[in-house]
Amino acid sequence: MSAHIVDGKELAGIVRQELKSHVESLIQRGIKPGLAVIIVGDDPASSIYVRNKAKACSDIGIYSEVHRFQKDASQDEILQCIHSLNENAHIHGILVQLPLPKHIDNNRVISAIAITKDVDAFHFYNVGALVTGNSVFSPCTPAGVMVMLQRNNIAIEGRHAVVVGRSNIVGKPMAFLLLEQGATVTICTSKTRNLSQFTSNADILVVATGKPRMITADMVKPDAVVIDVGINRLPDGKLCGDVDFESVKAVAGYITPVPGGVGPMTITMLLSNTILAAERAESAER
Ligand code: NDP
């Protein structure tokens, strides 16, 4: 039997409609959620991401503005911009598009963002809040995966979740979100010996390595839930994930496609975090 395909594009559409009505009710109360995006340099992929974020905001009524800096901009210029956005009452979320040029210290920049406006949840405070089970904002990609699991009624508690990849933006926060929901979690990395011994034991397998189609059918437990976070551009220009979709879909119970799986949920969660930040700002004013 073939796996159930978890359609991230369709789910993102549904969630964005729900978010749109949150925005409408905030606007009726005199608050228009606002997101500021900072981009440094002219990386074409980053420019596309920023454009997509701005469009997703305007589609549901969120105000957004983009602050562009030349690739040789100084760290102080960027910090100054963040300080002024921290003080700007019309801006509820601040996002710095990564990667930054090498002369800029990522940690300095991210930790300058007010924790209440840190909609990417990369600030050390928000990372600590996530790890201790007190998070307000969750990083967008793993948060999107959690929504995909929940909306498909996939049980998490008591199940063995294996996360392949340990990056700060996907693998680690993913593992903590699953742990928080009662999964028994294993994290695998490039140093893991005999990877398939772990992956083939997973009830829920989340893969975020950036290695095209590295997870094959023989590495997956029958009926497992397979979430493919990877987005890889092949030499022919097509996109593929870190999971070999065609072979694995014959074994898995659920599988996300690439494109059209986790990707559309990531921006959706950015919108959700921005609205949450606006709602929290509203209650802080009361
Ligand atoms: P990173 O390169 O930061 O991390 C990759 C992780 O995978 C590392 O921890 C690395 O281990 C691990 N890894 C690499 N090769 C192997 C291997 N053979 N076996 C086991 N583990 C391995 O990538 P990101 O986490 O930022 O992104 C991962 C993928 O997800 C990329 O394709 C990226 O484009 C995509 N992505 C998709 C998003 C979406 O919205 N869908 C959002 C963000 C990312 P080690 O630490 O030991 O080197």
Side-chain angles (χ1 to χ4, degrees), residues 230-247:
I231 303 177
N232 307 290
R233 178 87 51 197
L234 296 169
D236 65 4
K238 290 196 179 135
L239 292 179
C240 79
D242 297 346
V243 173
D244 182 29
F245 183 81
E246 286 309 319
S247 73

Side-chain angles (χ1 to χ4, degrees), residues 141 164-167 169-170 189-190 208-211 214 229-231 263 266:
T141 301
V164 189
R166 58 168 158 175
S167 71
I169 62 168
V170 188
T189 74
S190 66
T209 60
K211 297 285 178 290
M214 65 165 282
V229 179
I231 303 177
T266 296

Side-chain angles (χ1 to χ4, degrees), residues 21-236:
S21 39
H22 280 271
V23 173
E24 281 161 7
S25 80
L26 269 166
I27 290 174
Q28 274 169 12
R29 305 202 295 273
I31 298 154
K32 189 169 172 80
L35 174 72
V37 179
I38 295 174
I39 177 166
V40 186
D42 47 15
D43 176 53
S46 294
S47 298
I48 292 170
Y49 291 142
V50 168
R51 212 166 48 227
N52 291 345
K53 285 167 185 171
K55 177 169 185 318
C57 282
S58 91
D59 284 349
I60 68 160
I62 294 179
Y63 166 75
S64 74
E65 59 186 40
V66 179
H67 296 259
R68 289 184 186 279
F69 290 88
Q70 302 291 326
K71 62 176 182 299
D72 56 358
S74 75
Q75 182 166 294
D76 278 348
E77 277 177 83
I78 293 151
L79 290 174
Q80 262 171 29
C81 175
I82 293 175
H83 293 318
S84 92
L85 292 168
N86 284 344
E87 299 302 321
N88 183 339
H90 299 293
I91 294 299
H92 304 97
I94 304 170
L95 175 154
V96 177
Q97 186 65 42
L98 300 176
L100 288 168
K102 288 201 168 35
H103 68 280
I104 293 172
D105 178 349
N106 273 13
N107 288 339
R108 271 292 300 281
V109 168
I110 301 297
S111 55
I113 298 172
I115 53 176
T116 52
K117 298 191 178 187
D118 173 36
V119 285
D120 253 344
F122 294 158
H123 189 293
F124 290 139
Y125 177 94
N126 285 319
V127 175
L130 176 79
V131 171
T132 53
N134 294 297
S135 64
V136 173
F137 304 119
S138 298
C140 300
T141 301
V145 172
M146 295 307 282
V147 172
M148 291 177 106
L149 296 174
Q150 283 148 6
R151 296 285 182 115
N152 283 279
N153 296 316
I154 293 168
I156 299 172
E157 190 175 292
R159 301 184 87 191
H160 183 204
V162 174
V163 179
V164 189
R166 58 168 158 175
S167 71
N168 290 334
I169 62 168
V170 188
K172 284 183 209 160
M174 186 74 251
F176 280 105
L177 288 174
L178 289 162
L179 185 66
E180 198 55 34
Q181 294 303 312
T184 300
V185 181
T186 301
I187 306 175
C188 298
T189 74
S190 66
K191 310 290 184 285
T192 299
R193 293 185 191 154
N194 196 358
L195 180 67
S196 63
Q197 179 194 321
F198 297 94
T199 57
S200 60
N201 251 310
D203 300 313
I204 300 171
L205 177 62
V206 183
V207 191
T209 60
K211 297 285 178 290
R213 297 178 181 147
M214 65 165 282
I215 301 292
T216 47
D218 55 309
M219 299 170 79
V220 174
K221 182 172 164 176
D223 284 335
V225 177
V226 179
I227 306 287
D228 189 354
V229 179
I231 303 177
N232 307 290
R233 178 87 51 197
L234 296 169
D236 65 4

Side-chain angles (χ1 to χ4, degrees), residues 2-17:
S2 194
H4 175 82
I5 313 291
V6 181
D7 187 336
K9 202 170 165 196
E10 185 186 27
L11 179 58
I14 294 167
V15 176
R16 287 183 201 194
Q17 275 310 313

